[in-house]
Amino acid sequence: MNANFFKLIPFDQVFNEVHVKGYNPIVNIENFWKKYDINSSRDHIVAMFLGDVDDPEGIMEKPDKRYLEAYSLDLFRALVAYYLAHKYKMSMEELEIPLLPTKKLTEEAVKLRQSNHALFGKKD
């Protein structure tokens, strides 16, 4: 067996978790949002998307590879949980998702995001 297949085993285990007695997708969704805020999630997804692309201006914070691996597994677990919650029409009204980021955005980062939205945002 190819050694790289062992890296995929944790993702397969996510599907096994849903069959364990007492599994609750809402708990997995809450756990994800307790661990990651929306801004750090965006940054991690962009980092995974960009991969090893040069960033000479140092725009992106480069997270540790193992941290991104853990994040991708947590994200996958949350996506499976969201899917099951929607499939079984579970109420998510009581779901507690923090709206504020865990780390404060700098004024420069806010201006950059606003200018990006002005340039690339939804146009009517």
Side-chain angles (χ1 to χ4, degrees):
M1 181 188 276
N2 187 331
N4 287 328
F5 288 122
F6 287 108
K7 294 179 181 179
L8 301 176
I9 290 173
F11 289 93
D12 287 338
Q13 289 175 331
V14 169
F15 288 119
N16 293 332
E17 291 172 7
V18 303
H19 300 290
V20 173
K21 186 176 180 174
Y23 172 82
N24 183 347
I26 303 299
V27 171
N28 279 352
I29 295 167
E30 283 180 332
N31 288 340
F32 178 83
W33 290 115
K34 285 178 186 174
K35 192 171 181 181
Y36 307 100
D37 62 68
I38 194 69
N39 290 321
S40 65
S41 289
R42 176 204 165 273
D43 292 345
H44 297 334
I45 291 168
V46 168
M48 288 187 290
F49 175 75
L50 292 176
D52 294 326
V53 173
D54 284 336
D55 183 18
E57 290 84 23
I59 293 171
M60 286 297 304
E61 251 183 66
K62 299 217 187 237
D64 178 78
K65 183 180 177 185
R66 291 198 185 272
Y67 187 79
L68 278 181
E69 288 172 356
Y71 174 78
S72 64
L73 185 59
D74 289 342
L75 179 61
F76 184 65
R77 184 174 282 112
L79 289 173
V80 169
Y82 269 111
Y83 169 77
L84 292 172
H86 284 289
K87 179 179 179 182
Y88 295 111
K89 297 176 176 47
M90 300 175 81
S91 173
M92 289 193 256
E93 290 179 8
E94 301 298 318
L95 187 63
E96 291 189 33
I97 298 175
L99 298 176
L100 298 175
T102 54
K103 62 180 182 182
K104 190 175 179 175
L105 287 176
T106 65
E107 190 174 323
E108 183 179 320
V110 170
K111 286 180 183 177
L112 177 65
R113 289 187 182 185
Q114 288 172 342
S115 65
N116 284 343
H117 179 71
L119 287 172
F120 305 110
K122 184 178 176 183
K123 304 289 185 205
D124 290 335

